Amino acid sequence: MRFGILGPLEVTGAAAPSDGRREHSYAPQAAKLRVVLGTLLIRANEVVSVESLIDELWPDAPPRTATTTLQVYVSHLRKTLQSADPDNGREALATRRPGYLLRVGADALDALVFEDLYRRGHQALQTSDFAAAADLHRRALALWRGPLLSDTPHGPVLEGAAVRLAEARTSALDERIRAELHLGLHRELVAELQELVAEHRMHEEFHTHLMVALYRCGRQAEALRVFTTLRQTLVEELGIEPGPSSSRLQRRILEGDPALARAGGRAAGPSAGPSAGPSAGTAGSAGSAGSAGRDPGHDGPPAAVADTAEGAAGAAADAAGWSAALGALPAADPCFTGRTEELAELERLLRSAPAGGCVAVTGMPGAGKTALAVEAAHRVADAFPDGRLFLDLRGGAGPGLPSTAGPVLDRLVRAAGGTAAAPADGAAAAPRLLLVLDGVGSETEVRPLLPALRGAVVLLVARRVPAGLPGLRSVLLGPWRRDEAQRLVGLFTGGAGSRAGTFGSAAALDAGPGLGPDTVAEIAELCGRLPLAVRTAAAQLAARPHWTAAVLADRLREEGGRLDVLRTGDVDVRSRLLDAYAACPDPQRRAFRLLSLLPPGRFGARQAAAALDLTEPQASAALEALADERLVAVDRDGCRIPELLRLLAVERLALEDPPEVVRAAAERVCRAYADGAAEPGRVCDTGARGLVRLARTAHGAGLWALTVRLTDALAGWVPDDAEAVYALALDAARRCADRPAQARMRRSLGELAWQYRRVEQAGELFSDALELAREAGDEEEAARALVGLAELRLDAGESAQAAALLEPALAALSAPGRTRGRYEASRARALLALAQEGRESARAWFGECLELAGALRDQRLEVYALRSLRALSLPPRGGSGPASRAVEIRPGLWRIDPAAVPANPL
């Protein structure tokens, strides 16, 4: 079964017809079905959330039955796929939380084949294998039958993909022409290029390619006329002049430069990008820097890169018959934001580095390592008068370096400083040169290059620290700090950084209502304060004028679809994180996935050992290995998985691990946390949220007893969704026939109902808890249910009935090991004393509360008891306002003018 989306949607059967007839197309006729299938194919082998599919089907106003209708569409598609491939078609479309996954082979989808050919062609061009580059790009372009999914309505996902792939198609065409010019095919290209410049009137690269082709055909006047036409178009329609590369090419044609007439020289070098130095006819320009340059704000694989010194460097490159643009430093990012401390440290290290010294910028994917390196390289320009160069080491076809890396670097240094090849006898001074090496995988990639660098300072950009290089100094880059996140409004309004400009190609936004520091800070937190993710979120908001910042934040809050939201154009946060994950060995990937079962936040070796089924020393070693890969962050306070990496780990766990493995690991984790929570002391807020999450995990895995234990461990902490949490625990208690636990959960639900002023419901729940506890013979729980009923009576002004309920409760809770219940009973008794007996009696009971809270090591309860005692030590406040009649009946919970309770200073 094969799919085609580079044109109208095509679905063909698993086996080709044996009689030579045209393959039957199984593409669905209904437009909505094509939208669903097209979206799944665009994200082949990835989980596409239900929310994303609904947005694609109904971008403006989805119907109330959208989810049900989508399920019907998926059912129809499964039948269609089964018709195309009776053996495997139906299973290819799988349901995976939070949506659907379409499994497609690498050679079964034309878009995947195109991207593979384009990538290989680009790598061949970077290594100067022009024949292979031309052939690969030619085969890639032949796959296109028209615009992407031209017979299918486009929503946000398909529209973004259409833009991305159309740009890739244009880049493939540009690079194919570039390679063919190197091969001397200028005569064959003239007609095609004339058609292209007519179609793409403001695409400078196509114009410069045509100028070079005409010049090499001896048609100098026509080549100059192409430049004149380009300039008129840009001036009249945009009010700008052609870029420096185009202007330099015009001057070289006017001068009759003989080097320009030679095929295979500078003229056909890779695109220079927006700040290119001297380049020849086909060098890039600002008009299409995106297709050949590199956005320094991202860490992903670039295309060819841009800039060296002017003047002598260009002459040296010409003499060598090589493009100086290959080593060009990308332009400074106009939206560079934050990183004040890291930038200052990196600048200090570069300025003080000796000749031959190495400095590294390392950190997790998406942290903006390349952006920081490029920004620093621009800021230290005065310290490196012989040039600043940039080379990406990910240009090879395999995991190693391009085979020409050494010679290329030697030429780079020679082109920039002119002295790299000087003898080592001191006859010539070593150049003061900075070389930025991006995409460094390990020290084994860098060490063979060092002899070609002579005395240059090398700035390495790598995920891992390339240990083993002598004298290496490094700067570790993590997420933005929280104080920096408060100042990111400029990214969303187009005013970020110290330079004017906007994010990418997105227009600046009107800040609009609600787009303040607090909202932006929340969005940044949901993005893990990861620069790539925050900038992608800003681009999403810019691309959707009908969204507000609140809508964006709301979509990001849903963990299951967050990575789907952080994808726009050709920037995909999930894909960037997946690259780092895929580069790890299998044992580390497995450990990373299993650690996603831990609650968000910090954890230690003990918790990791439970998830990984290892001893604590083994778990510590596994965590260190993951920290080296930047998949886990480690500091003195413990370990944590950065938020977006945690979401990726959750996805990969669901996709790659058998359910029985996941359930076993979840049980180990839940048991470890339940055991830890049984230790004395009140659980902190972060820990309590983790227990709530684990209780849900345990319930989903059918671990009923652990669900109850984890909920019990909350010890009075009330989450936002407390009723739902305790309802799950009550269900688990029923399923494991634990009557005392049923009583505890009903009592807890009763306390919540009372706090929400649902008094009648609270009474029923307390009464049910009392009955269940007595049937189970649980004296302690029965007494705590009596305390709940007593508080209801006290709340209603029925002090005598409350006293009658509290007396047996206090007696039962005086037994050893019932400290928390005794505390609650003493607190209720203190409130009763305040109503019936006066301040001195209440002070005695609150004093007992203070002692019991100390025994529980619960700071929150201790502070409440101290606050109550302090209030009782003050003279009664006069007046009749609410403040004078307020009683703090629980920590942070006040009752105003309670019936039958006289005004008091609490």
Side-chain angles (χ1 to χ4, degrees):
M1 182 167 54
R2 300 178 66 84
F3 301 93
I5 60 175
L6 301 181
L9 180 62
E10 278 191 354
V11 182
T12 54
S18 58
D19 56 5
R21 292 179 299 171
R22 179 181 176 83
E23 291 180 317
H24 175 68
S25 176
Y26 294 90
Q29 298 301 309
K32 294 294 189 185
L33 291 180
R34 290 201 303 273
V35 169
V36 176
L37 181 55
T39 305
L40 292 170
L41 287 169
I42 281 295
R43 298 190 179 177
N45 303 310
E46 296 179 18
V47 176
V48 183
S49 68
V50 169
E51 183 181 78
S52 294
L53 289 168
I54 289 174
D55 282 349
E56 198 70 19
L57 286 162
W58 301 283
D60 299 322
R64 294 170 56 190
T65 59
T67 301
T68 304
T69 305
L70 174 59
Q71 292 170 349
V72 173
Y73 291 161
V74 170
S75 177
H76 280 299
L77 284 178
R78 284 188 172 126
K79 294 176 183 177
T80 299
L81 296 178
Q82 186 173 22
S83 299
D85 185 354
D87 295 331
N88 304 305
R90 189 173 186 86
E91 289 72 22
L93 179 50
T95 301
R96 290 286 186 274
R97 293 181 60 187
Y100 301 96
L101 168 74
L102 182 57
R103 299 187 183 93
V104 179
D107 59 348
L109 176 62
D110 57 359
L112 295 179
V113 177
F114 166 77
E115 290 180 323
D116 178 63
L117 290 169
Y118 169 65
R119 176 185 59 81
R120 291 161 55 197
H122 175 74
Q123 291 169 349
L125 185 64
Q126 283 194 317
T127 57
S128 302
D129 189 350
F130 303 118
D135 176 66
L136 289 164
H137 282 310
R138 198 176 296 115
R139 288 159 54 194
L141 293 166
L143 294 169
W144 285 82
R145 298 169 286 108
L148 181 82
L149 292 169
S150 54
D151 60 346
T152 303
H154 287 198
V157 172
L158 293 184
E159 186 60 36
V163 173
R164 175 177 63 85
L165 286 170
E167 180 65 23
R169 182 185 186 184
T170 302
S171 296
L173 180 58
D174 172 80
E175 293 194 1
R176 193 216 83 208
I177 294 170
R178 203 177 292 276
E180 290 180 348
L181 283 172
H182 270 288
L183 296 171
L185 301 177
H186 41 274
R187 294 187 185 278
E188 293 83 348
L189 286 170
V190 168
E192 180 184 5
L193 283 167
Q194 287 174 332
E195 182 179 350
L196 284 172
V197 299
E199 181 181 355
H200 302 276
R201 298 174 56 245
M202 287 180 282
H203 195 291
E204 289 197 45
E205 277 84 353
F206 289 153
H207 284 78
T208 54
H209 291 333
L210 178 57
M211 292 166 67
V212 170
L214 289 169
Y215 181 76
R216 289 180 179 171
C217 291
R219 298 157 68 175
Q220 181 180 16
E222 293 177 66
L224 293 171
R225 190 177 302 119
V226 171
F227 178 84
T228 302
T229 302
L230 170 65
R231 182 180 181 278
Q232 288 175 344
T233 300
L234 294 176
V235 170
E236 291 173 4
E237 300 195 18
L238 300 178
I240 62 172
E241 292 286 340
S245 297
S246 303
S247 299
R248 280 193 294 270
L249 177 60
Q250 181 217 22
R251 290 196 299 271
R252 294 182 65 191
I253 293 174
L254 284 170
E255 295 165 0
D257 187 345
L260 185 60
R262 297 194 301 267
R266 295 179 63 217
S271 177
S275 62
S279 60
T282 61
S285 63
S288 65
S291 65
R294 174 186 180 86
D295 181 356
H298 303 153
D299 290 325
V305 287
D307 191 38
T308 67
E310 299 275 357
D318 279 339
W322 173 80
S323 174
L326 179 63
L329 181 69
D333 180 5
C335 292
F336 186 86
T337 303
R339 302 298 194 194
T340 306
E341 295 178 8
E342 296 91 339
L343 189 58
E345 174 66 7
L346 184 56
E347 185 174 348
R348 183 188 68 80
L349 292 175
L350 290 174
R351 289 183 181 278
S352 61
C358 291
V359 179
V361 178
T362 67
M364 66 177 290
K369 301 183 291 294
T370 303
L372 182 74
V374 170
E375 181 71 16
H378 281 283
R379 295 198 181 195
V380 298
D382 59 303
F384 296 95
D386 292 307
R388 295 154 298 140
L389 311 175
F390 186 100
L391 185 65
D392 195 326
L393 299 187
R394 287 166 292 199
L401 292 175
S403 59
T404 56
V408 164
L409 285 169
D410 189 57
R411 292 175 184 175
L412 279 172
V413 176
R414 186 183 302 116
T419 59
D425 58 3
R432 187 60 178 166
L433 178 75
L434 175 65
L435 176 62
V436 182
L437 294 180
D438 197 9
V440 175
S442 70
E443 64 273 14
T444 57
E445 292 182 349
V446 178
R447 193 177 289 112
L449 308 180
L450 296 179
L453 303 181
R454 307 302 192 273
V457 174
V458 182
L459 175 56
L460 310 174
V461 181
R463 193 174 75 251
R464 304 182 51 167
V465 176
L469 296 179
L472 177 71
R473 307 289 298 276
S474 64
V475 174
L476 175 62
L477 209 56
W480 272 316
R481 297 188 304 275
R482 282 190 168 84
D483 61 315
E484 290 178 320
Q486 291 282 347
R487 301 192 294 269
L488 295 179
V489 176
L491 279 181
F492 293 80
T493 61
S498 59
R499 296 173 289 272
T502 61
F503 169 60
S505 59
L509 298 171
D510 178 2
L515 189 57
D518 292 341
T519 305
V520 170
E522 182 190 6
I523 291 172
E525 286 296 330
L526 291 169
C527 294
R529 288 180 277 116
L530 190 65
L532 174 63
V534 177
R535 296 180 67 158
T536 304
Q540 281 278 33
L541 200 56
R544 290 169 172 77
H546 56 286
W547 280 17
T548 63
V551 169
L552 175 61
D554 187 58
R555 292 186 178 238
L556 289 171
R557 288 188 196 105
E558 176 55 46
E559 287 190 359
R562 190 177 304 170
L563 291 176
D564 288 325
V565 177
L566 296 175
R567 177 174 183 166
T568 180
D570 61 350
V571 180
D572 183 353
V573 174
R574 177 191 282 110
S575 176
R576 195 66 54 80
L577 300 179
L578 269 173
D579 288 342
Y581 168 77
C584 296
D586 285 341
Q588 291 174 25
R589 290 204 298 268
R590 177 182 179 276
F592 175 65
R593 296 194 301 270
L594 289 175
L595 288 174
S596 70
L597 292 168
L598 302 178
R602 297 192 183 278
F603 58 89
R606 183 174 68 175
Q607 293 80 13
L612 304 179
D613 199 17
L614 300 172
T615 64
E616 286 193 36
Q618 290 172 332
S620 296
L623 291 172
E624 290 295 340
L626 287 170
D628 289 341
E629 298 291 347
R630 306 305 180 206
L631 297 182
V632 167
V634 179
D635 56 30
R636 295 176 182 175
D637 297 325
C639 305
R640 63 180 178 83
I641 303 179
E643 180 61 12
L644 298 184
L645 280 169
R646 184 185 67 81
L647 297 182
L648 177 72
V650 170
E651 287 186 358
R652 303 317 302 176
L653 184 71
L655 288 170
E656 298 184 35
D657 292 271
E660 61 273 16
V661 172
V662 177
R663 187 182 188 277
E667 183 173 4
R668 294 193 302 270
V669 168
C670 291
R671 195 174 304 280
Y673 275 81
D675 292 344
E679 298 173 359
R682 178 179 179 269
V683 65
C684 67
D685 286 354
T686 301
R689 292 188 184 94
L691 292 173
V692 168
R693 182 182 288 265
L694 287 175
R696 293 184 181 278
T697 299
H699 189 275
L703 303 170
W704 313 125
L706 280 172
T707 304
V708 171
R709 286 187 62 195
L710 290 162
T711 308
D712 280 337
L714 292 175
W717 189 84
V718 181
D720 294 336
D721 53 350
E723 286 187 295
V725 172
Y726 283 105
L728 281 180
L730 177 59
D731 176 69
R734 287 197 191 105
R735 290 175 182 267
C736 63
D738 186 342
R739 296 180 74 80
Q742 293 179 50
R744 292 196 302 275
M745 298 311 148
R746 284 191 174 277
R747 183 211 4 117
S748 297
L749 287 167
E751 291 175 352
L752 290 170
W754 173 69
Q755 291 181 36
Y756 296 143
R757 311 312 298 154
R758 300 196 296 268
V759 178
E760 184 177 351
Q761 181 187 6
E764 292 174 357
L765 288 164
F766 284 136
S767 298
D768 290 345
L770 178 61
E771 182 179 352
L772 283 165
R774 284 174 173 169
E775 290 175 359
D778 190 335
E779 185 182 34
E780 179 183 7
E781 192 52 44
R784 296 192 68 173
L786 286 173
V787 173
L789 289 169
E791 289 205 78
L792 289 179
R793 301 281 71 79
L794 187 61
D795 196 35
E798 300 169 358
S799 299
Q801 292 91 327
L805 292 166
L806 281 174
E807 184 176 354
L810 283 164
L813 292 169
S814 297
R818 299 176 179 178
T819 308
R820 188 167 292 277
R822 176 72 183 183
Y823 172 90
E824 295 298 341
S826 298
R827 177 188 54 78
R829 185 63 182 81
L831 296 173
L832 177 63
L834 197 61
Q836 284 189 327
E837 302 160 10
R839 297 159 63 88
E840 287 303 319
S841 177
R843 185 180 291 113
W845 284 106
F846 275 123
E848 181 171 329
C849 287
L850 181 60
E851 291 180 10
L852 292 166
L856 289 168
R857 291 165 55 185
D858 192 323
Q859 187 178 13
R860 177 169 165 267
L861 298 183
E862 284 188 86
V863 170
Y864 165 72
L866 285 169
R867 194 161 54 238
S868 300
L869 288 168
R870 188 180 303 113
L872 285 168
S873 68
L874 299 173
R877 287 179 293 181
S880 59
S884 67
R885 303 191 306 277
V887 179
E888 188 179 12
I889 53 180
R890 293 190 181 201
L893 185 64
W894 296 75
R895 179 169 58 203
I896 298 176
D897 195 19
V901 178
N904 60 76
L906 290 178

